[in-house]
Amino acid sequence: MKRILFCWLGLLPAVALAANPAFAGRWRLDPAQSTALDGWTAMDLVVRLEGTKVDLRHDMSWRATKVSGTNTVDTAQPVEITNFFRIDQRHMAVYALPKKTARTVASWIDGDRTLRVEALVPLEVSQGEAIMRVTAEYRLLEGGETLLLIELHSTRNRPLVYRFTKVPEEAEKKS
């Protein structure tokens, strides 16, 4: 009996780190309820879950220009992300340093309804190099059809807020 109890207790941390499956899939930006994209006209967020790892792919477009950037985080341990993708980097002309990585920590909070990501991003700015702290919360709203992304940057006075709606799987296959 003790052996079964210890085995079960040993699984608790893995269960606590597991992703909420409602996050998985393609999410489309609702521009009317979001911070202006400045330099982009459309954005999809594609979330892929694999154990404790979460791929956050940003599919951005402006006219014929299309860009994708993926940040893969891990809720079990900190990760180093090369070329950490930020939604606002094109407009700001502030880019991740090519040979440096962003130390990134992720965790599920609020009963697995929010993925919190914190990153220290080394940047190239006109004055040289700098570190920007980015805190992002991906919040699954009531009903599971709306995702709210709130980003706080150490370089900004106001948060960036993006509201997404879930793209039905049938429509996602055509995208």
Side-chain angles (χ1 to χ4, degrees), residues 87-131:
I87 295 167
D88 69 334
Q89 70 189 24
R90 178 178 178 194
H91 173 68
M92 298 302 296
V94 174
Y95 300 97
L97 287 164
K99 295 184 180 177
K100 297 200 177 178
T101 60
R103 180 157 178 79
T104 308
V105 177
S107 60
W108 292 106
I109 60 174
D110 302 333
D112 296 341
R113 295 199 62 80
T114 302
L115 175 64
R116 182 182 180 142
V117 176
E118 295 186 41
L120 296 174
V121 184
L123 300 173
E124 180 182 353
V125 296
S126 61
Q127 297 85 6
E129 295 181 8
I131 299 286

Side-chain angles (χ1 to χ4, degrees), residues 59-78:
D59 290 341
M60 315 288 289
S61 62
W62 178 75
R63 297 184 184 169
T65 302
K66 299 197 181 307
V67 172
S68 281
T70 302
N71 295 328
T72 300
V73 299
D74 192 331
T75 58
Q77 62 190 355

Side-chain angles (χ1 to χ4, degrees), residues 24-171:
R26 180 175 291 274
W27 300 85
R28 182 135 310 135
L29 181 73
D30 179 347
Q33 296 188 46
S34 301
T35 299
L37 283 178
D38 292 340
W40 302 104
T41 53
M43 174 174 57
D44 279 3
L45 176 67
V46 181
V47 180
R48 193 173 69 84
L49 308 171
E50 188 175 321
T52 60
K53 293 185 179 178
V54 182
D55 286 341
L56 301 164
R57 187 178 85 213
H58 303 84
D59 290 341
M60 315 288 289
S61 62
W62 178 75
R63 297 184 184 169
T65 302
K66 299 197 181 307
V67 172
S68 281
T70 302
N71 295 328
T72 300
V73 299
D74 192 331
T75 58
Q77 62 190 355
V79 294
E80 299 289 330
I81 298 176
T82 303
N83 198 21
F84 186 90
F85 184 84
R86 296 181 345 275
I87 295 167
D88 69 334
Q89 70 189 24
R90 178 178 178 194
H91 173 68
M92 298 302 296
V94 174
Y95 300 97
L97 287 164
K99 295 184 180 177
K100 297 200 177 178
T101 60
R103 180 157 178 79
T104 308
V105 177
S107 60
W108 292 106
I109 60 174
D110 302 333
D112 296 341
R113 295 199 62 80
T114 302
L115 175 64
R116 182 182 180 142
V117 176
E118 295 186 41
L120 296 174
V121 184
L123 300 173
E124 180 182 353
V125 296
S126 61
Q127 297 85 6
E129 295 181 8
I131 299 286
M132 177 172 57
R133 183 176 35 81
V134 176
T135 302
E137 289 192 3
Y138 297 81
R139 294 181 183 177
L140 190 60
L141 301 183
E142 209 58 43
E145 296 300 312
T146 304
L147 183 70
L148 193 64
L149 168 55
I150 303 168
E151 282 192 12
L152 299 170
H153 295 191
S154 59
T155 57
R156 291 179 170 262
N157 293 328
R158 295 183 180 185
L160 302 169
V161 180
Y162 304 103
R163 188 179 188 100
F164 297 87
T165 54
K166 187 91 173 221
V167 175
E169 286 186 36
E170 307 82 54

